[in-house]
Structure formats: C-alpha cells, structure tokens
Amino acid sequence: MGIHNAFRTQGVEALYSAGVMEIIPLKDQDSLQRESLDPGKRSELLEHCVQYHVRLNQVLDTFHEIPSSPSRALRLFLSPPDANPVPLSIISLSDCFTQVDRILEETAGALQSKSVLITIREKILALEKKQKDVARLLPFDMDLSMTGDSVLFSVTTVAVQKEESASFLQQIEDCGGKEVFSEKKSSETEDVVFLLYPACLRPMMHTLFRLPGITVLQCEQCAGFPREVLISLENEIHHYREQGIDEIKRLQDFRDRYEKTLLAFREEVRVQKEKLDLIPKCGTSRDVTVITGWIPVSEADSLSTALDGTTDGHAFVSPLTEGETAREAPVVYNNPSCLKPFEFLTTMFARPKYGEIDPTPFLAPIFIVFFGLMLGDAGYGILITLAGFLIFWNFRHSRSSLHGLSIILTWCGISAIIFGTLQGGWFGDVPSRFFGVSPPLVLLEPIKDPIAMFQIALILGVLHINLGLALGFFQNFRRKDYNSALMDQGVWFIIQPAAAVLMAGFFGWIAVSMNLAYLAVVGIVIGLAVIFYSRGPMGFFALTGFLGDWLSYVRILALALATGGIAMTVNILAQLIAGISPYLIVLAALVFIVGQLFNLIIQSLGGMIHSIRLQYIEFFSKFFVGGGREFIPFGMERMYSIRGDG
Amino acid sequence: MVIGPGTALVAIGAGLAVGFSAIGAGIGVGITGAASAGVTAEKPEKFGMALIFTAIPQTQAIYGLLVAVLILLSGGFLGGTAGDIPLPIGLSAVGAGLAVGLAGLSSIGQGIAASAGVATASERPETFGKGVVFSVICETQAIYGLLVAVLILVFSGLLSGNYLATTAAGLAAIGCGLSIGLAGTSAIGQGIAASAGIAATSEKPELFGKGVVFAAICETQAIYGLLAAILIMSFTGMFTGNLVATLAAGVVSIGAGLATGFAGFSAIGQGIAAAAGIGATAEKPEMFGKGIVFAAICETQAIYGLLVAVLLMAFTGLISGDMTLTLAVGFSAIAGGLAVGLAGLSAIGQGIAASAGIAATAEKPEMFGKGVVFSAVCETQAIYGLLVAILIMVFTGMITHNFITTLAVGIATIGAGVAVGLGGFSAIGQGITCASGIAATARRSEAMGRSLVFAAMSETFAIFGLLVAILILFGLGIFSL
C-alpha cells in the first residue's frame, strides 16, 4: 500500500487501529522494494518513547521488591488488572510525555526506596558475615578493639580448616619464631587462631593468610567482648530490618496508588513507540510512503475503505499476486468465536502450514466428548462446570489465557455431566452405596459391562482414525498429490473393510460367503502390496503402527473405569471408617472429601492429557504436519488502558 | 483356630503389598531425598519445599500399607481371629498384594521427577507448581494398582467376609495383579520424561503442555496393563459373580498378565526417547511432532504384549466362555506371555537409539529416516518374541481348539518363552550401538553401513534365544501335532 507523505500519520493510525496487517520490513529479504526505495527516516520522538518506556519499567520493577502475598494473588485473581483498564485522556504525543513526566516525578520516591532497600540488604549481609566471624571468637574472652594494626603490633584472628591447622601453625612458627604469640581454640569443624605479631612481620604473615583453607576473621571496628558485640550486631541488624520493612511499606503505598496508571501509561508509550517505529521499516520516496505486508484476504476491502476515509483518498492498496511473494505466508486461524479457545490446543502441537487443513474444528468437539467419556462422573462434571463458569465470569472482560481455558473447562464439565449420567457415575457409587438408590438415565456402567465399553472405545477409534485418513486423503487430493493420497490414506480404506470381513468371519460373528472372503483376501493382498511397495520393509511397522493407533483408544475404557473404581475405593474406605465407631464419622467424611477431591484432580488431569494425546498422536498423524508461521499484525490489543479521548 | 493354606496366602498377599511398595517408595524417596539434601545444604530456607517433593513418592508405600491392613483386617489377623480362609481367597489376596505392591515401584519414576522438581524449584520458585504436576503424573500407575487391588478384594468377598472365589478366579486375580503391577514400572519411563519436562519448562514455561504430552505417552503401558486386568476380571466373571471354575483359565490369565505386565517395561525406553524429545522441542519447537514419532516407536512392544494377551484370552475360549481348555495349554499361555512380555524390554534399547535419533534429527532434519531405521533395528527382538508366542499359540492347538493335553509339554514350552524373552534383552546393548551409529552417520553418511553391522552383532544373542526356543518347541514334538 502507498500513502501520501502528507497523510502518513493518519494512514499509520488507521493501519494500527485496524490491526490486520503483518508488516514486511524494507530490509527483510522478502521485501520487494528493497532495491528501489529508501527506508523512512527514524523520528526523534521514537528515542523519547524508548526512554520513557525504560523509565516506566524501572518504576514498575521496584514493585518486584515487595514480597508476594497470598492475599494479593487472590485479589489479582478476583480482579484481574486487564479487566478494569484505566481510561487515559491524551491530546497529543507531547501531552502524553508531559503526563508521563508528572507521574514519574510523583513516583520518584519508589526508585529511592528501591535503592535504600538495596543498601539495607547489603548492610545486613555484611553485618551477618561479621556476626558469624565474631561468633567464632566466643571462646576467646577478649576485647575485640584489640584486633587490627597498631604502630608496633598487629592482632589478627583467623579460622583454619582442621586439616590445614598443623601446617599453618608450623609455618607461623617458622616465620616468626618466638616473636609471634598464638593461641588456638578448636571447634568441631575448624580451628580458630589468635595471633599477636610485631609490625615487621606483617608482609610475611599476610602472605600466609592467603593460603588455601585460611580465612581472616573480620572483627575490626568492633569494641567489647564477643558476647557484647554479638548483641549490638543483632540490634543493628534488627534496626536495618525494621527500616527495610518501612521502605517496603512505602513501596506498597506507591504500588497501590500508581501501579494501574503506570501500566496504562507504559502501554500507551509502547503503542506510540510501535507506531513511530513503523516508518523506518517502510520504503519512502519524495511524496509517498510504501508499506508492504501480509493481510487476510477478508480484511483487504475494509482496510482500503478505512485508509480512504482517514487519508481523504490519498492512499492506495494493491494486492500482489502469488508469484510476486517470496516466502510462505503467515497463518491466522479463521474459526468461529466458539472454537477460538481451542486454537491453543492445535498451536501447542503446531500451527497449520499455509494452505493446510486446520484441525481445530474437528479437535474441539472430539476433545470434549473424549474427556467426558474418560472422566465419566456427573458429580465431578458439576464441580468442573461450576469451577469453569466461575473463572469465566471472573475473566469475562479479560484477555488472559484463563478466559479461553475457562470456556474449555466449562464445556468439559458439561460433557462429563452428560457422559457421567449415562455411565451412572455420581462421585463413584455414592447413590447406591450410601442411599440405596440407582441413579437415573444410566445407559452403560463401565465397571459392570467393561466389554461393551471396550467395543465402544474401539468403534470410536475406528471413526476417529478414519476421519483423520479422510481429511488426509482430501488434502492430498486437493494438492493433486494423488500418489500420497493412495499410498498414505487410500490403501487403509481397502485394508480395513477387508480385514474386518476376515476377522468377523474368523471369530464367527457373521457368516461370510466364499466370494466375499476371496474378495477380502484380494483386498488385503492389494493393500499389503501397496504398503510394502511404497515403504519397503518398513511397511511392517506401518501395519503395527496402525494396529497400535487403533488399540490405543481402549484407554477411554481404562480411564472411565479408573475414575469410578477409585471413587468407589474412597467410598468403601469412608464406609469402613464410619462403620468402626460413630465417633469416627467426622474422619470418614474427611476421607471422603479429600479422597474425592484427589480423584477429581488426578482423573481430570488424566482425561485432559489422554484426550489430547489421542488427537496429537493417533489423529493428527493421519493428515496434519503443521509448522506454519504465526501472523503477527501491526497493532496491539490494549490490556491496561483505554483511550478516554476517543 | 485353624490356619490353612488360604490364610497363609492372605498373609503373603499382605507381605507382598507392603514389601514391594516399600522397595519402590524407598528408592523413589531416596532419589528425591538426595536432591533435597543437596539443595537444603546450600539453601536451608528451601526445606519446606524440598520436604513436599520428597513426600510425593511416599504415597505408594501408603497405598501398599493400606491394602496390607485391609487384607489383614479382613483375614482376621488384626483381631487375632485369623481363621481358615479358603485357598481361592488366599490366591486373590496374593493378586491384590502383587497389584498394589508391584505398582508401588512407580515411586522410582516419581522420585526421578520429584528430584528434578526440587532442583529447579530451588533455583526458580515459580516452577514449584509445574514440578508438582509433573511428579504427580507418575502416581497414576500406583492408583491403577490400588484400584485393581481393591476391586479384587471387593469382588472376591474378602472385604465383606462373604467369600466368592474359585481357585481359577484366584489365579486370575494373580494374573490381574501381575498385569497392572508390572506395568506400573512404566512410571519409571514417565519419570525420566517428566524430569526432562520439568527442566525444559523451568527455562521455557510455555513448554508445559508439550512436556505433559511427552510424559503422558509413557502411561499407555500402564493403561494396557489396567485394561488386561479389567478384561481378565470380566472374562473370569469377577464383576458378575458368575466365576469361572476351569483351573486352566486362571493359569491362562497369569500368562496374559505377564504379557502386558512385562511389556509395560517398554515405557522405560519410551521415557528415554520422550525426554530427548522434550529437550529437542525446547530448542526447536518444530521437533515436537518428530519427537513424538520417535517416542511412539517404543510403544510397539506394549502393543505386542496387549495383542498377545487378548489373543491368549480369545484363543483359549476365555472370551467366549468355552472352557474345554487343558492345564497344559494354560502353562503354554504363560510361555507365550513371557516370550512377548520379556522381549518387550527390547524397547529400552530402542529408546536409547531413538533418543540419539531425536538429537541427530534436531541438528540435521534429513537424519529422521536414518534415525527411525536405526531405532527399528532394536525392535527385531520384540518381533522374535511375538513370533514365538504365536508359534506356541498355533502349535499347542489354541487356534484350532485341538489343545495339547500333556501337562509336562505345556510346562516345557515355558523354556522356549524364557529363551526368546530374555534373549530380547540383547536389544539394550544393540540400542547403545545404534545410538552411537546414529551419531556417526550424522557426521558421515557412509558410516551407516558399518554401524549397522556392529549393531547387528548384538542381535546374534537374540537369534540364539530364538533358535533355542524353536529347538525346544521342535523337540517337544508339538510342530507335528
């Protein structure tokens, strides 16, 4: 796109608020105008923005000095900062700088408090070291003001490692003979040696003090006996700690008053910085600024209209054809809003490549259904739904990842309620064990009929795998890669029915006519031939791999049974305890609550993990490679601020 | 008061429950304790955090103790009223003890993960929660063990005193215990993967999800173990109370349990590969998919184990309820289970090779195919095990229902199963050679041929095992049946 230089600011503003274009910088290899245009001039204001950003960060960093507290964590959870953005009224960039200057002036005390805190911390460290050294001298009942150098003598105390002690004392004697007075006191780990020596021996003694295993104890400037000095040191440390607490309180005051505003202004400065930073990335001529970038096709018209409006027609947007683009396009998901929260599950594996099928619409419902089947407990489902809804309500205005997660959690909970009801799970077997009633609407209890559940799991497996194969087949067909469509996917559509016929005939489930049996054998032979032709001997592993993928779905049964079984175990334990004595009912209730909660957490985790595993390993392997680049548009979603000036 | 063999077995069951889980918890807590001691020496203020991590692998011992107490309580040992308990109930108690006890070995894996948790959380306190989640994942195996133990105790009537078991069902309970208990060792692999996950997420918190997926794939073996246990319970009528009476059916269940149980060890290999996968993904996010492929290769052994377990149950008539099988066939089922189960340990070698494959592929994407080939080499041992298991099934008449009847022949086939199964361990050595071969090939592509020759040398011993197994089967004359 091109914008007349006179309308550049308005154009950039329109582009930024649209937030639909990923800029290709002029110096990038992909840029088509690299050779023909000059880069735009870097604005001086950009430097100011960078400086203000750094200074705001410095003030915000001071709040990290405040120790974290559970009450603040809870407050942040209940009232996320991005759910209540601060309205900012800013007329121009210079007005923004003026306001930031004012707030930086008001919060200068926070920086001061931080530097005071650092000094206090260093002083405390030094005092604690001195405290340790003085404590080592407790066995010497002497006035510590004696230590240090005088005109004629020096008094030094050193700690010596046990194994070095003998050789050190020997060297002292070799060095000074009778001119050195020494006294040794031993503790369990080391020896402490008091040394009195004439000034002339100082250089030689200092050399000895540098030997390994020798530490000179720092107790100069201490007056009095060790016990008294320790008390005064303790008082001094206490005094500094109190001072530190006062400074933390000051910082807390600053945080309470200014944190939200600081975050909002930092965001505003970042927004301004990003806008100014665009120009050096563009190509410019005398009259026109040229911006190249990626844009979703669906947004092209609206951007063009918006630019026309803000620049009074002094801008043009011209799409480039596929041949003119050098690199692969970035990828943006295009799903309805109800599927948006599930996109992160796909991204966790890999973002789809450009032109590849996005598995999210398939992943989302299947993930929810599998989770419900695996958890299979309506009681747990209700708790998960409630938790999910509470988090959703709390973060309904927030852009935090918890917002999306809460939606997934709520759906998973609803699924668990439905499948839990059908499987008869209400905190395990609570209705029948404690109240003697059978839960309603039960279709199939995994613990009573595991084989039926086993069959359901395998049927779901076949359907899921074949959905993957069909998607892969469709994708290869669309790319006109007919060879892969046949070798990788098509062949399984021949082998599966043939194998099913032969298996059903072998086990006598259906009567297979001779002709059908021959047809099935032919199908198998053709299928195997294609597999071994395309993959060589490794084709064997394709067969075991397919079988493995299919059998892998039986985890649905195993996990469903595990939830009910463990819950039943907890119930039995609670019942046993309550049965021993009526006084133990409280303990029984405690075992019930803790056990059920533990089972809920462990099994929900298992349900999530194994549901997603079935997607990543068994399903995705049939059609999805991924590896696409994320689309990062020019523009930023505000979290902490809104522009009150419109 | 009469103490019969059933009561004696109840005591043994309690002993197994608390004993095996003590081994696991002891080692697991020991590993974490060592890390905690190191950390708190430097940072005494981390004592509380380290104590929590060290307590995590303790739960297995608590589960073991719980089941032991339940068994002793139900058997009348605690009230001093131990009476004559029927033999089948005693066997069931042994099954329950094996289930929770052996599954307690999962504590070792949990200890590996928790020690990584201690180390990282001491440096970065914000990783505490994630470290705990990674460590707790390895507890699933122990929970499955506890679940199966309690199900056995409930359905055999030991808890209620309303005894409901046949000797066959008692033996089947032992099969269940072996299946879920031995497969519980999969937590060791999971722990190795989880510790890598903890290390990776401490550097890059966004890797948490992928780390959990890598760790979770090592749980499949435990799920197969649980599944086989459930199927055994279902087919022997434990859920319905319509218990199987044919003794051989119980012995077949033990064979099926050994197949999935020992094959569960393959998760250790998978864990080694998954740990490398997490490391590679941390460096290069696009390695996630390939890492998963390498790790999933090591799952084949577990699938063979599950397959043989299901086939054993199907061919001996356990599924259809056709109980004409002989005790001789029952022992052959144990032979088949041992052949495929023990050979499943070849996955450890495969995991070592796969981890090298992942590292090489991360550096040079074109090494992917060669890495897979080297890893697949170590799978041959598993295929030999599967082959012998199938030969046993075919030639003892399981498929045609023309069952062999000589008990000694059935027992003798166990020799064949052990020969090929233990021979499969040679894959561990082969994996080490293959790992080195992958590194050599990554440097010089022409090194591949020579490396494969070296790798093939370890396989000779697996072929010896296969040869002896076939000679045994041939010598028994079952090929001519």
Side-chain angles (χ1 to χ4, degrees):
Chain A
M1 56 186 263
I3 308 171
H4 191 283
N5 284 345
F7 292 87
R8 193 161 70 183
T9 314
Q10 293 89 324
V12 170
E13 186 63 51
L15 194 62
Y16 195 81
S17 40
V20 291
M21 181 186 263
E22 180 178 318
I23 307 296
I24 301 175
L26 189 72
K27 61 180 181 198
D28 197 289
Q29 288 177 357
D30 293 5
S31 174
L32 302 171
Q33 289 82 25
R34 201 148 63 110
E35 308 297 327
S36 53
L37 290 171
D38 295 326
K41 206 176 149 222
R42 197 178 154 89
S43 162
E44 280 177 12
L45 291 171
L46 187 58
E47 273 314 310
H48 289 300
C49 283
V50 172
Q51 281 167 12
Y52 278 116
H53 196 254
V54 169
R55 289 176 65 193
L56 286 166
N57 261 339
Q58 280 172 342
V59 179
L60 281 163
D61 276 348
T62 61
F63 302 150
H64 293 154
E65 298 293 323
I66 305 168
S68 54
S69 73
S71 64
R72 179 172 153 85
L74 188 70
R75 214 168 44 237
L76 282 179
F77 178 78
L78 293 176
S79 169
D82 64 328
N84 302 302
V86 176
L88 297 179
S89 181
I90 292 163
I91 306 161
S92 63
L93 194 53
S94 60
D95 178 38
C96 174
F97 291 160
T98 316
Q99 293 193 44
V100 172
D101 272 330
R102 197 173 58 238
I103 198 166
L104 283 173
E105 203 175 310
E106 286 171 23
T107 53
L111 290 171
Q112 218 173 353
S113 288
K114 186 181 173 177
S115 74
V116 171
L117 266 176
I118 291 170
T119 317
I120 288 174
R121 219 169 284 150
E122 282 166 0
K123 279 186 178 160
I124 291 177
L125 272 179
L127 287 170
E128 280 174 344
K129 170 145 193 340
K130 197 179 265 188
Q131 211 176 14
K132 273 187 194 158
D133 286 355
V134 173
R136 285 155 145 172
L137 293 172
L138 278 172
F140 296 90
D141 208 17
M142 61 177 231
D143 190 337
L144 295 180
S145 56
M146 283 162 53
T147 55
D149 298 334
S150 63
V151 181
L152 297 174
F153 285 99
S154 285
V155 174
T156 308
T157 49
V158 291
V160 189
Q161 281 176 11
K162 285 249 173 212
E163 56 272 23
E164 305 291 339
S165 186
S167 94
F168 175 70
L169 289 173
Q170 184 59 51
Q171 288 182 64
I172 292 282
E173 198 172 337
D174 294 348
C175 162
K178 286 182 179 166
E179 289 181 19
V180 180
F181 170 77
S182 70
E183 190 181 350
K184 187 180 83 172
K185 303 271 184 191
S186 299
S187 73
E188 271 179 34
T189 50
E190 61 182 12
D191 291 336
V192 179
V193 183
F194 171 90
L195 295 164
L196 171 68
Y197 48 92
C200 60
L201 287 179
R202 268 179 209 152
M204 281 195 305
M205 295 299 273
H206 286 184
T207 316
L208 289 178
F209 296 157
R210 284 196 287 273
L211 288 172
I214 316 294
T215 317
V216 175
L217 301 180
Q218 304 296 334
C219 44
E220 290 90 356
Q221 298 161 2
C222 294
F225 288 86
R227 206 168 294 280
E228 298 159 12
V229 173
L230 277 180
I231 292 169
S232 85
L233 283 173
E234 187 57 52
N235 288 338
E236 214 174 332
I237 290 172
H238 180 73
H239 165 73
Y240 281 123
R241 287 215 172 108
E242 291 285 320
Q243 221 177 323
I245 291 170
D246 288 345
E247 290 303 327
I248 297 270
K249 275 189 190 147
R250 276 189 69 199
L251 275 179
Q252 262 167 342
D253 284 344
F254 276 114
R255 186 175 69 184
D256 293 345
R257 279 174 59 198
Y258 291 103
E259 191 182 30
K260 282 187 165 188
T261 325
L262 283 165
L263 285 169
F265 272 105
R266 186 178 66 174
E267 192 167 75
E268 178 63 33
V269 170
R270 212 182 116 196
V271 167
Q272 300 299 346
K273 187 172 76 121
E274 282 188 8
K275 281 191 223 166
L276 291 169
D277 202 24
L278 178 69
I279 304 304
K281 291 177 187 165
C282 306
T284 50
S285 66
R286 195 193 64 190
D287 296 321
V288 178
T289 299
V290 178
I291 303 169
T292 322
W294 301 100
I295 180 168
V297 176
S298 56
E299 305 287 350
D301 287 341
S302 62
L303 179 69
S304 186
T305 317
L307 273 176
D308 266 348
T310 50
T311 62
D312 199 19
H314 289 79
F316 67 91
V317 177
S318 153
L320 298 171
T321 57
E322 208 168 316
E324 288 176 277
T325 51
R327 291 262 179 94
E328 197 183 284
V331 177
V332 61
Y333 286 105
N334 184 22
N335 287 310
S337 58
C338 62
L339 289 176
K340 288 264 171 237
F342 294 89
E343 285 169 356
F344 98 92
L345 288 174
T346 305
T347 311
M348 205 163 82
F349 183 86
R351 188 173 287 271
K353 270 188 118 60
Y354 189 70
E356 195 178 18
I357 292 175
D358 172 14
T360 314
F362 306 98
L363 175 145
I366 297 168
F367 173 80
I368 291 169
V369 168
F370 281 0
F371 176 84
L373 277 167
M374 288 186 201
L375 191 65
D377 193 293
Y380 293 165
I382 291 172
L383 292 182
I384 293 172
T385 311
L386 281 177
F389 186 74
L390 273 178
I391 301 174
F392 170 75
W393 189 251
N394 202 29
F395 286 83
R396 64 192 183 283
H397 300 305
S398 165
R399 284 186 199 87
S400 145
S401 57
L402 277 174
H403 176 85
L405 276 178
S406 67
I407 296 174
I408 297 181
L409 205 61
T410 311
W411 277 114
C412 284
I414 293 169
S415 169
I417 295 175
I418 296 170
F419 289 105
T421 308
L422 296 177
Q423 293 175 25
W426 293 88
F427 299 103
D429 57 351
V430 163
S432 55
R433 183 169 295 275
F434 295 118
F435 305 105
V437 292
S438 309
L441 303 171
V442 178
L443 214 61
L444 173 72
E445 287 183 65
I447 205 154
K448 288 198 179 141
D449 194 355
I451 300 306
M453 196 71 190
F454 182 77
Q455 288 161 345
I456 290 173
L458 286 182
I459 291 168
L460 284 173
V462 167
L463 294 176
H464 198 211
I465 288 175
N466 278 289
L467 174 66
L469 287 172
L471 287 171
F473 188 80
F474 169 73
Q475 185 160 268
N476 280 328
F477 205 78
R478 201 171 61 175
R479 289 176 182 160
K480 298 193 170 57
D481 186 358
Y482 303 117
N483 201 28
S484 297
L486 174 70
M487 305 278 188
D488 294 344
Q489 287 98 21
V491 63
W492 297 109
F493 296 131
I494 304 169
I495 290 182
Q496 286 182 87
V501 167
L502 288 182
M503 221 165 79
F506 180 81
F507 287 107
W509 297 333
I510 54 165
V512 179
S513 72
M514 223 41 187
N515 286 342
L516 189 62
Y518 281 134
L519 201 65
V521 171
V522 170
I524 293 277
V525 170
I526 292 173
L528 291 181
V530 171
I531 284 176
F532 283 102
Y533 169 74
S534 61
R535 301 165 207 233
M538 299 299 277
F540 175 79
F541 297 112
L543 293 171
T544 55
F546 190 89
L547 185 71
D549 283 353
W550 186 37
L551 283 178
S552 183
Y553 285 83
V554 294
R555 74 186 64 232
I556 295 176
L557 155 68
L559 286 167
L561 208 132
T563 314
I566 293 291
M568 186 182 79
T569 309
V570 171
N571 296 342
I572 290 173
L573 281 178
Q575 204 176 24
L576 271 177
I577 294 168
I580 296 171
S581 155
Y583 298 110
L584 290 178
I585 283 184
V586 177
L587 180 66
L590 202 70
V591 167
F592 177 81
I593 292 169
V594 173
Q596 293 286 359
L597 207 63
F598 175 73
N599 195 31
L600 166 68
I601 294 169
I602 286 282
Q603 304 296 346
S604 305
L605 193 68
M608 295 259 180
I609 292 170
H610 288 286
S611 183
I612 200 66
R613 175 224 144 100
L614 287 175
Q615 316 271 349
Y616 285 174
I617 299 176
E618 279 75 17
F619 182 55
F620 281 10
S621 63
K622 304 292 173 291
F623 70 100
F624 183 64
V625 179
R629 193 165 62 79
E630 189 185 356
F631 173 76
I632 305 168
F634 173 63
M636 195 181 80
E637 286 198 24
R638 287 173 182 267
M639 285 176 78
Y640 304 110
S641 63
I642 40 169
R643 285 292 288 263
D645 51 50
Chain B
M1 189 171 77
V2 187
I3 305 281
T7 315
L9 285 173
V10 164
I12 291 174
L16 289 170
V18 82
F20 273 120
S21 59
I23 296 178
I27 298 175
V29 170
I31 294 169
T32 321
S36 299
V39 162
T40 49
E42 291 294 320
K43 299 181 177 175
E45 70 278 10
K46 299 288 177 192
F47 180 72
M49 177 275 294
L51 204 63
I52 292 174
F53 272 111
T54 314
I56 293 175
Q58 263 180 0
T59 22
Q60 280 82 343
I62 296 169
Y63 296 158
L65 179 67
L66 173 71
V67 169
V69 169
L70 283 178
I71 292 174
L72 294 179
L73 196 71
S74 313
F77 279 84
L78 294 188
T81 55
D84 191 18
I85 291 169
L87 180 73
I89 300 299
L91 290 170
S92 300
V94 170
L98 283 172
V100 77
L102 288 173
L105 296 173
S106 60
S107 184
I108 299 172
Q110 202 163 28
I112 296 170
S115 66
V118 171
T120 50
S122 69
E123 293 295 325
R124 300 182 182 193
E126 68 276 12
T127 62
F128 175 76
K130 286 179 179 140
V132 169
V133 172
F134 271 113
S135 307
V136 166
I137 291 175
C138 310
E139 178 118 355
T140 326
Q141 283 82 345
I143 295 173
Y144 291 164
L146 175 67
L147 168 69
V148 169
V150 172
L151 288 180
I152 291 171
L153 295 181
V154 169
F155 291 123
S156 65
L158 187 63
L159 278 188
S160 59
N162 185 15
Y163 302 141
L164 254 179
T166 58
T167 307
L171 290 172
I174 292 180
C176 294
L178 287 170
S179 176
I180 189 63
L182 289 170
T185 51
S186 58
I188 298 176
Q190 199 164 28
I192 295 169
S195 66
I198 290 171
T201 42
S202 74
E203 293 292 327
K204 296 185 177 175
E206 69 276 13
L207 272 173
F208 180 65
K210 287 178 182 171
V212 169
V213 171
F214 268 114
I217 58 173
C218 310
E219 202 172 297
T220 310
Q221 283 80 347
I223 292 174
Y224 290 166
L226 176 63
L227 186 79
I230 293 167
L231 291 178
I232 292 169
M233 283 187 194
S234 178
F235 297 140
T236 53
M238 287 192 212
F239 290 126
T240 56
N242 185 17
L243 293 166
V244 64
T246 314
L247 200 60
V251 184
V252 168
S253 304
I254 294 180
L258 287 170
T260 44
F262 275 122
F265 278 78
S266 60
I268 298 176
Q270 199 166 26
I272 296 169
I278 294 169
T281 309
E283 290 299 319
K284 293 189 175 175
E286 66 272 20
M287 274 302 292
F288 181 65
K290 283 177 183 149
I292 290 274
V293 169
F294 271 111
I297 293 175
C298 311
E299 209 170 288
T300 323
Q301 282 82 345
I303 294 163
Y304 292 165
L306 178 64
L307 183 70
V308 167
V310 172
L311 288 180
L312 283 173
M313 288 189 261
F315 291 151
T316 54
L318 216 59
I319 296 179
S320 59
D322 171 19
M323 289 296 154
T324 55
L325 74 164
T326 60
L327 203 54
V329 168
F331 283 104
S332 296
I334 290 184
L338 284 173
V340 78
L342 289 173
L345 270 85
S346 59
I348 298 176
Q350 201 165 20
I352 296 169
S355 66
I358 290 169
T361 312
E363 288 297 317
K364 291 185 176 178
E366 66 273 18
M367 276 300 292
F368 179 67
K370 287 172 184 165
V372 169
V373 169
F374 269 111
S375 307
V377 167
C378 311
E379 199 168 307
T380 339
Q381 281 84 341
I383 295 170
Y384 295 160
L386 178 66
L387 176 71
V388 169
I390 290 173
L391 285 179
I392 290 172
M393 284 194 268
V394 171
F395 292 106
T396 53
M398 286 190 207
I399 294 175
T400 54
H401 276 220
N402 181 20
F403 299 127
I404 55 164
T405 51
T406 319
L407 185 63
V409 171
I411 296 172
T413 55
I414 293 177
V418 170
V420 76
L422 292 178
F425 284 45
S426 61
I428 299 175
Q430 195 170 29
I432 298 169
T433 313
C434 285
S436 180
I438 290 170
T441 311
R443 274 204 304 278
R444 285 185 174 193
S445 59
E446 67 271 19
M448 185 167 177
R450 286 192 294 274
S451 303
L452 279 174
V453 170
F454 285 120
M457 288 172 81
S458 304
E459 199 168 309
T460 320
F461 318 116
I463 296 173
F464 290 172
L466 176 66
L467 178 71
V468 168
I470 291 176
L471 287 177
I472 290 173
L473 296 180
F474 187 76
L476 288 171
I478 58 170
F479 286 151
S480 54
L481 279 174

